[in-house]
Amino acid sequence: MSDPLRDSNPNSIDLAGALTQLRARWGWFVALGAVLVVLGVIAMAYVFAATLVSVLFIGAMMLAGGIGQLIHAWRIKQMSGFIFWTLSGLLYAGAGLIAIVNPAVGASALTLLLGASLIGVGALRLWIWFNHRAQPGWKWLALSGIITLATGILIAVNWPGNSVWILGLLLAFDLLFQGWTSMLVGFALRERKS
């Protein structure tokens, strides 16, 4: 029996078929999850090294981005944006080089930026909640804003002392949560009835 909604849109996805294909590969989800959990545990045990690796990776990406912006600037040098792209590329590449050459300074700057970003996002969520507080369910936005704001303040108050471990700790938590999520998805796919 054909599905009229599916037949009317040739680009639609057959969800049951996709889930069946994923079910056949449930083991890959579990294996990936297990690897991510192990990496998360290693990052948790070596938080300082995880912070340095994170900073070096971010620094390399910033350096590559800065070089790309400089190449772009020199390709459009007859246009009005040449100076803007050149300065932007130099700043981006310079920040990347600083992070690579001195990862401790890079970690300190990234930690301060993280704290400031969390403070800003938390304050914005609270402001949005305050303007919509009469609507049902918006208390969750207030709770999210308070937690985000408090986290940002804690990071900023303890800066720069926490710069050597905070990024590595966040990386470890992220790896652990991604790993457990992937494993749980894999086990749910295995248990799914065809």
Side-chain angles (χ1 to χ4, degrees), residues 55-56 58-61 63 95-103:
V55 171
L56 290 173
I58 292 169
M61 295 299 104
L63 178 60
L97 273 175
I98 290 171
I100 292 170
V101 171
N102 192 346

Side-chain angles (χ1 to χ4, degrees), residues 116-191:
S117 297
L118 290 173
I119 289 170
V121 169
L124 178 64
R125 286 180 186 162
L126 287 171
W127 181 75
I128 292 170
W129 163 78
F130 184 77
N131 288 323
H132 297 83
R133 64 188 178 279
Q135 297 180 18
W138 281 70
K139 289 180 179 71
W140 291 108
L141 185 63
L143 179 63
S144 171
I146 290 169
I147 291 171
T148 304
L149 181 65
T151 303
I153 290 170
L154 283 173
I155 289 172
V157 166
N158 292 309
W159 183 83
N162 58 3
S163 299
V164 296
W165 58 268
I166 196 78
L167 298 174
L169 184 66
L170 291 174
L171 174 65
F173 281 141
D174 184 56
L175 287 168
L176 286 169
F177 285 123
Q178 283 188 64
W180 281 111
T181 300
S182 183
M183 289 174 67
L184 292 173
V185 167
F187 289 133
L189 286 171
R190 183 185 70 177
E191 297 299 321

Side-chain angles (χ1 to χ4, degrees), residues 53-71:
V53 168
S54 299
V55 171
L56 290 173
F57 178 76
I58 292 169
M61 295 299 104
M62 290 177 72
L63 178 60
I67 291 170
Q69 287 181 357
L70 288 171
I71 291 170

Side-chain angles (χ1 to χ4, degrees), residues 10-143:
N11 296 326
S12 67
I13 298 172
D14 179 21
L15 186 58
L19 285 173
T20 301
Q21 288 178 353
L22 286 175
R23 184 176 186 267
R25 292 173 179 82
W26 70 270
W28 287 103
F29 283 89
V30 174
L32 172 65
V35 168
L36 290 174
V37 167
V38 168
L39 290 173
V41 169
I42 291 170
M44 190 73 73
Y46 300 100
V47 175
F48 178 70
T51 296
L52 291 181
V53 168
S54 299
V55 171
L56 290 173
F57 178 76
I58 292 169
M61 295 299 104
M62 290 177 72
L63 178 60
I67 291 170
Q69 287 181 357
L70 288 171
I71 291 170
H72 176 69
W74 285 95
R75 291 189 54 97
I76 63 162
K77 62 183 169 187
Q78 285 79 17
M79 301 176 89
S80 63
F82 169 73
I83 292 176
F84 169 76
W85 285 106
T86 300
L87 289 175
S88 177
L90 286 172
L91 289 172
Y92 219 65
L97 273 175
I98 290 171
I100 292 170
V101 171
N102 192 346
V105 170
S108 182
L110 288 172
T111 301
L112 184 60
L113 181 63
L114 174 66
S117 297
L118 290 173
I119 289 170
V121 169
L124 178 64
R125 286 180 186 162
L126 287 171
W127 181 75
I128 292 170
W129 163 78
F130 184 77
N131 288 323
H132 297 83
R133 64 188 178 279
Q135 297 180 18
W138 281 70
K139 289 180 179 71
W140 291 108
L141 185 63
L143 179 63

